[in-house]
Amino acid sequence: MKTTAERQREITRSKALVHLLRDRMGETSVYGFAGRYDGLMQGTSNTQESKKWRPVFSGKQPLSTRTLASLSELFPDAPQLHQDGPANLWRAMWGTFEESRAVVADDLNAWQSFDVALAEFEADLLLAESYGEPLILQHLAKAVALHRLHHDLLGLGGAGTCRCVRRCVDDENVQAALRRIAVLDDVRANLAAIASNPLAGIPADQRW
């Protein structure tokens, strides 16, 4: 039996997935999503009338294995997207350390050093902050992955990584992307311990 935390993660994964697929369909509501789904299923379902999708969209229940399988018939990448999340965010937040490492694999391979990769990533965020440039979900996923590897796996101090996570969570563009798929509050709650760490509030000029 799943724990409360595990069930909430499944709800978050499911809610994000159906919102992402709704956008991919070009729809703007659960009603429109259901209608398009029913049409694509060619008369084998009537979810618009049964309101099957409403509890998933509203975060009241997760997708069942059977329903996720039905979505994969229309969207082959649905199971992978459900597991990894947008920009691999779920993999960074909840995956194994090896899965988190995969999120920043390109950076690690490019710099051939974890310390250098982390320093370069923080420098990129500091530059973006200095010039008022928006961030994207990939920045947040990388920040979380680097924090988990640096702090949780290696047991090292988290001044830089905590600040990176906080910077991404507070970014308006990142918030808008998470709000679009109805998981802003979920992500904030999951990352609250990192983002609220006093180390996350260190002024930018002290990190250069």
Side-chain angles (χ1 to χ4, degrees):
M1 186 175 179
K2 292 183 178 180
T3 65
T4 301
E6 289 171 336
R7 177 175 168 76
Q8 186 55 54
R9 288 180 183 181
E10 287 303 304
I11 287 175
T12 300
R13 292 181 196 274
S14 299
K15 186 166 47 169
L17 177 63
V18 293
H19 278 84
L20 285 165
L21 295 181
R22 177 206 64 187
D23 289 350
R24 190 182 295 182
M25 289 175 173
E27 299 294 338
T28 59
S29 67
V30 58
Y31 185 82
F33 173 89
R36 181 66 66 86
Y37 173 87
D38 293 342
L40 292 171
M41 293 300 285
Q42 300 180 341
T44 61
S45 68
N46 189 16
T47 62
Q48 196 173 58
E49 184 175 328
S50 68
K51 300 181 180 180
K52 173 181 179 176
W53 300 107
R54 288 188 180 278
V56 182
F57 269 85
S58 63
K60 290 184 171 58
Q61 70 181 44
L63 288 165
S64 67
T65 301
R66 182 176 179 179
T67 302
L68 181 58
S70 75
L71 284 173
S72 69
E73 294 178 23
L74 303 175
F75 305 97
D77 63 338
Q80 194 69 39
L81 189 54
H82 177 264
Q83 181 64 28
D84 294 345
N88 289 316
L89 184 55
W90 309 152
R91 178 183 284 198
M93 288 171 57
W94 303 321
T96 63
F97 286 128
E98 189 59 34
E99 289 172 330
S100 286
R101 187 186 185 284
V103 175
V104 291
D106 289 346
D107 301 74
L108 297 177
N109 292 333
W111 297 107
Q112 295 293 308
S113 164
F114 181 85
D115 289 342
V116 175
L118 174 57
E120 289 294 330
F121 178 75
E122 184 179 5
D124 286 344
L125 292 196
L126 286 167
L127 282 171
E129 185 174 0
S130 178
Y131 288 102
E133 297 176 355
L135 302 181
I136 58 176
L137 286 182
Q138 188 178 25
H139 286 116
L140 176 58
K142 286 185 176 183
V144 174
L146 287 169
H147 176 80
R148 290 189 65 205
L149 294 172
H150 188 256
H151 183 266
D152 299 348
L153 178 61
L154 300 178
L156 301 175
T161 58
C162 284
R163 192 180 190 284
C164 286
V165 172
R166 170 83 169 269
R167 171 76 180 86
C168 292
V169 170
D170 287 350
D171 184 81
E172 291 183 2
N173 197 57
V174 171
Q175 289 185 4
L178 293 172
R179 189 179 295 111
R180 176 71 182 175
I181 55 175
V183 294
L184 175 58
D185 290 342
D186 305 60
V187 172
R188 276 177 163 171
N190 273 272
L191 300 179
I194 303 172
S196 63
N197 188 309
L199 294 174
I202 295 176
D205 58 5
Q206 293 183 27
R207 294 301 303 167
W208 282 102

